[in-house]
Amino acid sequence: MNKNFSDLRKLYPTFIYEKYEYKIEDNKLKIKYFFDIPNLESFTPTLEIKANNDLNLEDNYLKTLIFHIGLIEVISYIKCTCSPNIVIKAGYLDKEQINWFKKLYYYGLGEFLYVNNISIEEDNLFNFQIEGEELELGPSSFKGIGNLIPIGGGKDSVVTLELLKNEENNDCFILNPKETNLECAKVSGYNENNIKIVKRTIDPKLIELNKKGYLNGHTPFSSLVAFITYLTAYINNKKYIVLSNEASANEATVIGTKINHQYSKTYEFENDFNEYTKKHFNLDIKYFSLLRPLTEFQIGMLFSKYDKYHKVFKSCNVGSKNSNWNWCCNCPKCLFVYTILSPFLYKDKLIGIFGEDLFERKDLLNTFIELLGYGETKPFECVGTYEEVRYSVSLLIQKLEDLPYLLKYYKEHYPSELNHKYESKFNNIHNLDEHFLNIIKGELEDVS
């Protein structure tokens, strides 16, 4: 039986971030966090990061970055009870920092609150009580060079890999690697020397609580990746963390609200993170998305040219849970990727990737309508804007004589939308410097 939000907060009013421990073993930085919900359960999630042998374990920068990763890990565990009081014993935050994390927790859990029918103001969701000691961060000798590129295994990170293939001092970052993201990196020319692997474990006691009906739902996973990549960049001397989040990540999932499945992929979070790290870490590491100027349509256009990845990449979150990552062909993510690539690869090449023509699937009609923006909400997945989905569909309909089921439905019920010309759109709200901008513009010119 599912537990009640208000009852859980009364039963378990306190969540404690007790401490963290770390060591270097087998050339890996091994970290363990200690969380506690009094009278319910204790948790010890872990991280393991490939490290330099000469890492200074007494470095306060290292300790500070490890502590901050723990503050994001807290979100996964506190959500099961939404305990109103968070006691931080592992480190120190001032009032401004507390407010920064309160914002991230609130908007990062926006989908979780919405799905669980929880209505609460930002200031009332969590209260932070700080009991840890502040660490002094003196002058740093850190001088990073090159790029750290997170690889998820989907088309977006593949496009980033290709755009940066001629850059020097590139490393890939992969969290809990699967064959798909490793293969994408290898196809791009990376090997074990320049693939930085991080292994993260979730305490199985959290899974057991979820099975017993404690609160569960979406967390801002990309914010965890942000802090882990920052630590990985620090210990591997990288200057840039180069993400693959496009402009459409900024669009709310629930129309008229700030509830966004992709909140921690937004430009707003990217800016917040850079401002926070610049002020409180004072290291010359920049975190930005190379693809922010682009639409999903343009990313699909670029990706369609990179044939060597077509049988390798995967984006389906359902299929990623299987031992052999596959396209489930039943979820919004599969249908979205199929749709956004369709103007360029339909029909034989797409069927070669997915194994069937998803546009002939009558059971996907409701998902199709949601992707188009004619449902109550956008699917709670990392998918593009309504307008570029409509544009892709309209463009393909214009090219075909014999329409499959979903395209025929669109033509009969909705207007054609071909006015936006997504091939040439360029979002000027981004954090790219001139060097990276020129790389993107050059690639777009070559494709067009």
Side-chain angles (χ1 to χ4, degrees), residues 20 24 38 51 60 92 117 201 236 269-270 291 322 331 371 391:
Y20 56 84
I24 289 184
N60 280 356
Y92 178 81
N117 296 310
T201 66
N236 289 285
F269 173 77
E270 183 180 309
L291 306 187
N322 300 326
C331 72
L371 288 171
Y391 183 76

Side-chain angles (χ1 to χ4, degrees), residues 351-402:
I351 292 176
I353 293 170
F354 288 84
E356 60 179 302
D357 187 354
L358 300 192
F359 286 150
E360 293 285 13
R361 290 276 300 277
K362 295 181 180 180
D363 58 327
L364 291 177
L365 178 59
N366 286 337
T367 301
F368 187 59
I369 290 170
E370 288 182 344
L371 288 171
L372 293 166
Y374 297 116
E376 290 185 12
T377 69
K378 191 176 181 180
F380 284 104
E381 278 277 10
C382 296
V383 296
T385 64
Y386 302 135
E387 289 79 7
E388 55 194 331
V389 173
R390 296 172 192 170
Y391 183 76
S392 298
V393 170
S394 299
L395 197 61
L396 184 56
I397 288 173
Q398 192 180 52
K399 295 179 178 180
L400 299 177
E401 292 183 8
D402 186 22

Side-chain angles (χ1 to χ4, degrees), residues 29-280:
L29 176 62
K30 297 185 176 182
I31 306 167
K32 181 181 286 188
Y33 295 99
F34 295 82
F35 305 143
D36 184 45
I37 303 177
N39 302 316
L40 180 63
E41 195 58 87
S42 295
F43 308 98
T44 53
T46 67
L47 277 179
E48 184 180 287
I49 306 175
K50 190 175 180 180
N52 296 327
N53 285 319
D54 58 353
L55 206 58
N56 176 14
L57 293 181
E58 296 306 312
D59 182 357
N60 280 356
Y61 280 94
L62 182 65
K63 294 176 183 177
T64 298
L65 299 181
I66 291 172
F67 163 64
H68 275 77
I69 293 172
L71 289 168
I72 308 300
E73 286 283 13
V74 162
I75 302 174
S76 294
Y77 295 85
I78 197 171
K79 76 176 190 294
C80 71
T81 56
C82 286
S83 305
N85 301 304
I86 304 175
V87 178
I88 306 294
K89 296 183 178 181
Y92 178 81
L93 298 173
D94 62 25
K95 185 172 179 56
E96 182 183 351
Q97 290 174 290
I98 289 171
N99 288 334
W100 192 93
F101 278 98
K102 288 179 76 169
K103 177 185 177 182
L104 172 59
Y105 280 35
Y106 185 73
Y107 289 107
L109 288 171
E111 177 184 331
F112 163 84
L113 297 173
Y114 177 82
V115 170
N116 285 286
N117 296 310
I118 298 167
S119 179
I120 191 168
E121 297 296 321
E122 179 180 340
D123 284 342
N124 297 329
L125 183 56
F126 297 119
N127 173 59
F128 285 73
Q129 180 181 328
I130 309 301
E131 296 183 4
E133 295 183 0
E134 184 173 8
L135 293 175
E136 290 291 333
L137 295 179
S140 172
S141 59
F142 175 85
K143 290 183 179 178
I145 56 170
N147 307 308
L148 183 66
I149 309 169
I151 303 301
K155 61 179 174 35
D156 299 357
S157 55
V158 162
V159 170
T160 297
L161 285 174
E162 283 295 301
L163 289 172
L164 297 181
K165 64 185 177 183
N166 295 322
E167 296 287 286
E168 295 182 355
N169 299 304
N170 285 340
D171 283 350
C172 285
F173 168 94
I174 301 178
L175 179 61
N176 288 348
K178 283 181 170 283
E179 183 179 350
T180 291
N181 39 26
L182 284 170
E183 193 62 27
C184 284
K186 289 176 182 176
V187 168
S188 191
Y190 293 83
N191 56 49
E192 62 181 18
N193 295 321
N194 49 25
I195 299 176
K196 305 305 178 186
I197 290 175
V198 176
K199 295 182 179 179
R200 174 193 180 227
T201 66
I202 296 173
D203 193 312
K205 294 191 288 291
L206 177 64
I207 310 300
E208 291 304 311
L209 289 178
N210 292 339
K211 291 178 181 177
K212 293 176 182 178
Y214 286 80
L215 296 172
N216 194 16
H218 181 73
T219 60
F221 181 73
S222 296
S223 66
L224 178 65
V225 173
F227 281 96
I228 295 175
T229 53
Y230 200 97
L231 172 59
T232 306
Y234 176 64
I235 65 179
N236 289 285
N237 300 308
K238 292 299 166 190
K239 181 178 178 65
Y240 298 106
I241 300 166
V242 188
L243 309 167
S244 305
N245 303 325
E246 73 296 323
S248 63
N250 299 319
E251 183 177 78
T253 306
V254 180
I255 300 170
T257 74
K258 284 195 70 172
I259 298 168
N260 187 349
H261 176 81
Q262 303 188 76
Y263 172 74
S264 52
K265 290 185 176 182
T266 62
Y267 180 70
E268 179 178 346
F269 173 77
E270 183 180 309
N271 276 348
D272 285 352
F273 183 77
N274 275 313
E275 288 175 8
Y276 185 93
T277 55
K278 184 176 181 180
K279 181 169 184 177
H280 298 288

